[in-house]
Amino acid sequence: MTVAIIDYGSGNLRSAAKSLERAAAEAGGGPVLVTDDPARVRAADRVVLPGVGAFGDCRAGLHRLPGMVDALENFVTRHQRPFLGICVGMQLMAERGLEHGVHQGFGWIPGDVVALDPVAGSSDSPLGDLKVPHMGWNRLNLRAPDHPVLAELPQSSYVYFVHSYHLRPAQPDHLLATVDYGEEVTAIVGRDNLVGTQFHPEKSQAAGLQLLANFLRWCP
């Protein structure tokens, strides 16, 4: 089982690769490749798309790699193999990103990527003065605990976020987990052979490693 992490100039690829290699060792998986080669993406058993920065910049980075967008579309929609998006890589699964203009996403998860709008300093919020970007640890509210990628992940697990936008799914059943940050913030989305995390599993210690191992075992 080969896992391809797409290198398009965005994301902490070394950290993601190391975490996936560790998860693969525990899950009995195969090699983890960091690649910008569409042929390797087409040949992979699973694909991970990380992303850090602005939605439009990440989208442009993917389109600068000849054949990569087509390879991803075929991988996800035609061959229906397991796909994991991380942070902006998850946001690109949406129909549109509304950061610094309107940018088209892949449209795999109906909905838009919108700015966080927490109720900062609200008297009824236990979080106190909330700032954007949302940076740090927060507790998951699992809405679909029976999903295979969330197996053995305890309710209220702490995971690590760095973001100012989140994907707001149009269909409630695509929302697998949220966190409270002065509003309900999307943490995990998924449907069919797709799953995406707004947080960084590679920085989320035991919970992140469990999720990655589950992804490597997942047979949608």
Side-chain angles (χ1 to χ4, degrees):
M1 179 188 68
T2 302
V3 181
I5 303 175
I6 299 179
D7 180 4
Y8 62 109
S10 178
N12 187 351
L13 301 183
R14 182 176 180 182
S15 178
K18 279 186 165 294
S19 293
L20 279 160
E21 287 167 358
R22 181 177 174 188
E26 296 188 6
V32 176
L33 305 175
V34 177
T35 183
D36 61 0
D37 183 352
R40 289 194 166 189
V41 170
R42 286 192 294 268
D45 298 292
R46 294 162 197 276
V47 161
V48 177
L49 180 66
V52 173
F55 186 104
D57 292 342
C58 289
R59 179 184 183 277
L62 276 176
H63 280 268
R64 279 195 292 268
L65 298 178
M68 183 59 79
V69 170
D70 287 341
L72 270 172
E73 288 279 8
N74 285 333
F75 183 95
V76 166
T77 61
R78 181 180 176 185
H79 298 293
Q80 297 185 331
R81 296 174 186 155
F83 172 93
L84 170 63
I86 297 175
C87 198
V88 183
M90 173 263 236
Q91 295 178 5
L92 289 168
M93 297 162 67
E95 293 175 299
R96 302 186 305 169
L98 307 183
E99 182 177 7
H100 309 306
V102 179
H103 308 277
Q104 296 303 309
F106 283 109
W108 299 334
I109 300 288
D112 291 340
V113 176
V114 300
L116 295 177
D117 187 24
V119 181
S122 171
S123 60
D124 60 357
S125 171
L127 298 171
D129 188 19
L130 305 180
K131 298 179 180 179
V132 177
H134 170 206
M135 298 178 63
W137 299 86
N138 210 326
R139 292 187 297 179
L140 288 176
N141 171 31
L142 302 181
R143 295 173 58 124
D146 293 333
H147 191 286
V149 175
L150 305 184
E152 299 183 35
L153 197 66
Q155 187 71 262
S156 299
S157 294
Y158 277 93
V159 291
Y160 189 81
F161 290 83
V162 182
H163 67 123
S164 299
Y165 287 75
H166 69 129
L167 197 170
R168 184 175 289 159
Q171 299 182 28
D173 59 334
H174 293 164
L175 186 59
L176 305 186
T178 63
V179 295
D180 177 17
Y181 194 68
E183 61 174 330
E184 186 176 68
V185 173
T186 297
I188 307 175
V189 297
R191 60 176 283 265
D192 304 326
N193 55 311
L194 305 167
V195 69
T197 67
Q198 181 58 67
F199 60 89
H200 290 269
E202 75 279 10
K203 297 180 180 179
S204 296
Q205 299 181 3
L209 190 63
Q210 180 67 58
L211 184 143
L212 293 176
N214 290 342
F215 171 72
L216 296 179
R217 297 187 187 102
W218 185 34
C219 297

